[in-house]
Amino acid sequence: MGAMISFLLYIVFLKKSMISSWKTVPSSHQLLDFWLIGGTLSVTAITTTLTSLGQLVKDKERKVIKDFYLTDLSHFEITMSYMLSAALIGFIMQIVMFALMIGYFSITDNLTMPWESLPAVIFVALFSSLLAVVINMLFIQFISRFDSLNAIGTIVGTASGFLVGTYIPIGILPNFAQLLIKLTPGAYVAAIYRQILMADKLKTAFHGQQSHFEKTMGIKLEWHHLLTGMQTTVLLTIVFLLGIAVLLIVDLIRSKENVRTVD
């Protein structure tokens, strides 16, 4: 839902004003289309995986999950099945949204997909889905009512477009808002997508002098300096591994509690 909101907002309200701001830049339509695609894919990973994990909350609320604990499956295996299912759905939905947006912009703006970048896009879609599942699970662990998750999902769906820098370019926001976005993993996922999709057109449009545009539009995020694609990837990998470690600790504690309950 959040992904469609950001896509429609861009088409209906944001596109014309943003293009007028960068009208002197060659191929500004195509550049901004790819910019929007990168942000929307990041939002898709966040929102679809959160919605998919709602099944876990629903099963906990209905006590169905306690029946699973009586099977031969370990607590870890049960948790992983929910997470992998959500990651698969998030990955598929990103591919679907990507195809829809590329198709739409190819018709309206003559956008040409750099097909050599497709394997990288697919890899990022898979990784971002796994990352979003891990981050969402950190919160899902402490939600026991499906109504509460629905309320959180509404907030996340509305706020995610802002937090990945899709509604408003990060460079024109006040410092506090920029810091908030920089603390959101989804903004870094969007940055990687944008670097992959926009690389060739950035070189052509700016002749190697695109740092101001990259900083303003959140194509590269700044911590003392603009982060390269590799630095951004390493940062997200660290966040992913830390998230996995926290989930394993929580899972270990919960599994011991469930053993006592069953006994």
Side-chain angles (χ1 to χ4, degrees):
M1 185 65 177
M4 288 304 299
I5 290 174
S6 66
F7 181 48
L8 294 174
L9 276 177
Y10 174 77
I11 293 172
V12 178
F13 298 107
L14 303 176
K15 185 174 182 178
K16 186 176 293 185
S17 63
M18 291 182 65
I19 288 174
S20 65
S21 300
W22 299 101
K23 60 185 177 182
T24 58
V25 177
S27 304
S28 58
H29 285 72
Q30 289 81 8
L31 273 174
L32 293 174
D33 289 345
F34 279 132
W35 175 84
L36 183 277
I37 289 171
T40 302
L41 291 178
S42 180
V43 172
T44 302
I46 296 168
T47 56
T48 56
T49 55
L50 180 61
T51 301
S52 301
L53 288 171
Q55 187 62 49
L56 172 58
V57 177
K58 192 178 293 184
D59 288 347
K60 286 197 296 184
E61 185 176 10
R62 295 175 178 175
K63 311 298 183 183
V64 174
I65 199 165
K66 287 189 175 182
D67 295 333
F68 295 152
Y69 293 147
L70 297 175
T71 66
D72 293 334
L73 294 174
S74 67
H75 188 275
F76 174 77
E77 289 173 330
I78 294 169
T79 302
M80 284 299 297
S81 66
Y82 284 103
M83 292 176 63
L84 291 175
S85 297
L88 179 60
I89 293 171
F91 172 73
I92 292 172
M93 288 306 299
Q94 283 188 83
I95 299 302
V96 170
M97 282 299 301
F98 180 71
L100 287 174
M101 289 186 289
I102 287 292
Y104 175 82
F105 288 127
S106 66
I107 295 171
T108 58
D109 293 336
N110 295 316
L111 184 69
T112 303
M113 170 65 194
W115 293 109
E116 68 277 5
S117 301
L118 186 60
V121 170
I122 293 173
F123 175 80
V124 175
L126 180 59
F127 176 73
S128 63
S129 294
L130 292 170
L131 176 64
V133 166
V134 169
I135 293 173
N136 284 329
M137 273 296 292
L138 293 174
F139 299 98
I140 291 287
Q141 294 283 327
F142 307 100
I143 300 174
S144 56
R145 291 181 57 82
F146 190 68
D147 289 343
S148 301
L149 180 64
N150 277 338
I152 293 173
T154 301
I155 295 171
V156 170
T158 304
S160 56
F162 168 77
L163 292 174
V164 304
T166 297
Y167 297 156
I168 304 174
I170 183 174
I172 65 176
L173 293 171
N175 290 334
F176 174 75
Q178 291 190 32
L179 178 61
L180 187 62
I181 289 174
K182 290 176 185 178
L183 295 176
T184 306
Y188 296 87
V189 172
I192 292 177
Y193 269 128
R194 288 164 176 163
Q195 288 174 46
I196 292 171
L197 293 170
M198 300 171 72
D200 292 339
K201 288 194 176 296
L202 283 173
K203 292 177 182 176
T204 303
F206 293 95
H207 305 288
Q209 304 299 317
Q210 67 264 29
S211 58
H212 172 68
F213 183 81
E214 290 176 334
K215 177 181 176 181
T216 302
M217 300 301 291
I219 299 166
K220 291 183 178 179
L221 299 179
E222 183 180 33
W223 288 101
H224 302 299
H225 65 276
L226 292 178
L227 299 179
T228 65
M230 180 58 67
Q231 290 170 330
T232 304
T233 303
V234 169
L235 180 61
L236 286 176
T237 302
I238 292 172
V239 172
F240 176 74
L241 293 176
L242 286 175
I244 288 290
V246 173
L247 287 176
L248 287 173
I249 293 171
V250 172
D251 186 80
L252 180 62
I253 295 171
R254 290 282 176 86
S255 61
K256 289 183 178 179
E257 290 176 351
N258 288 325
V259 169
R260 295 194 198 100
T261 302
V262 172
D263 292 340

